[in-house]
Amino acid sequence: MTTPLTTADIIKGLTIKSATGNNFAASLLAGYNKYKSFTPKQLTWAEKLAREALSPETVKPAGESVGADFVKIINRFNIAKNNGLKRPALTFQFNSSPLKISLAPETGANKGFLYVKSGVDYLGKISPSGLFSKSGICGSNIIEFLKQIGNDPVNFSAQHGRETGQCCFCARELTTKESLFVGYGPCCASKWQLPWGKTN
């Protein structure tokens, strides 16, 4: 017979799940923090997710901080949000797979953070102060790629667009001569406050 988890264990498990980008766990945690209780149905799911998170087989080493400054990426996201983008994101091609940097849920435990994912794989998160905490599956090659982005997000994103023909700000194909030359389109340039119309 399975021993019921304590509330403290459930909260701990949900916190771990939330940190890996699980939005459902984050919503359960936010609800508990607000109402200080679970409904019977919520408790069933909360305990299930917590057991998964606390199981030695499923817990991955995470939270190791990387010695790099990613505040320029945070600042660029803040610009996009202030200009009305509700879900700003950056999508790059890395080793033939999409690597996406996106906002954590506003209602979750990681509000203000940026999640880094490759497909469904969670690679880590960037704090509001620009500190990157990697997950257990985030390799050194991915970290080096992120550092290149972090050093100069605007120029790196433009170069990526010119090389791939795809805008990293909206993940759409670049179709006009002007957009292909710059590396992104005029709408994204406006929302993200990027240079536009320059030839050098």
Side-chain angles (χ1 to χ4, degrees):
M1 184 175 179
T2 304
T3 304
L5 294 178
T6 65
T7 300
D9 285 337
I10 291 174
I11 298 305
K12 180 180 179 181
L14 290 179
T15 300
I16 293 171
K17 278 287 189 180
S18 297
T20 65
N22 189 304
N23 292 341
F24 185 39
S27 68
L28 287 171
L29 186 60
Y32 180 84
N33 289 336
K34 182 176 181 179
Y35 299 108
K36 304 304 178 186
S37 65
F38 294 110
T39 66
K41 187 174 182 179
Q42 287 174 335
L43 182 59
T44 299
W45 278 105
E47 188 164 346
K48 180 179 184 297
L49 290 171
R51 288 188 186 282
E52 291 177 1
L54 297 173
S55 169
E57 296 83 33
T58 58
V59 174
K60 300 181 179 67
E64 181 182 344
S65 297
V66 174
D69 184 3
F70 296 97
V71 71
K72 291 179 182 178
I73 298 178
I74 290 288
N75 290 344
R76 195 54 55 175
F77 269 79
N78 288 337
I79 289 172
K81 286 194 296 180
N82 291 337
N83 284 333
L85 276 182
K86 293 183 178 180
R87 296 181 180 85
L90 298 175
T91 304
F92 301 94
Q93 288 298 315
F94 177 72
N95 289 348
S96 302
S97 298
L99 186 146
K100 187 173 183 179
I101 304 173
S102 60
L103 284 174
E106 288 291 315
T107 57
N110 291 302
K111 179 180 178 180
F113 283 72
L114 301 178
Y115 287 153
V116 182
K117 296 182 179 180
S118 179
V120 298
D121 293 330
Y122 171 78
L123 302 175
K125 60 183 178 181
I126 302 172
S127 74
S129 62
L131 183 67
F132 180 61
S133 298
K134 71 184 187 71
S135 75
I137 62 171
C138 183
S140 59
N141 57 339
I142 296 173
I143 293 172
E144 289 305 312
F145 186 74
L146 289 172
K147 286 181 179 179
Q148 293 179 48
I149 301 171
N151 286 337
D152 193 341
V154 174
N155 283 331
F156 186 91
S157 298
Q159 184 64 30
H160 180 273
R162 289 191 287 266
E163 292 177 354
T164 64
Q166 184 174 349
C167 177
C168 71
F169 299 99
C170 63
R172 295 176 180 173
E173 182 182 0
L174 299 171
T175 57
T176 70
K177 179 174 65 176
E178 294 82 4
S179 296
L180 287 166
F181 178 82
V182 177
Y184 44 79
C187 291
C188 290
S190 176
K191 291 293 187 182
W192 293 79
Q193 287 187 13
L194 308 169
W196 179 258
K198 297 182 180 181
T199 58
N200 52 46

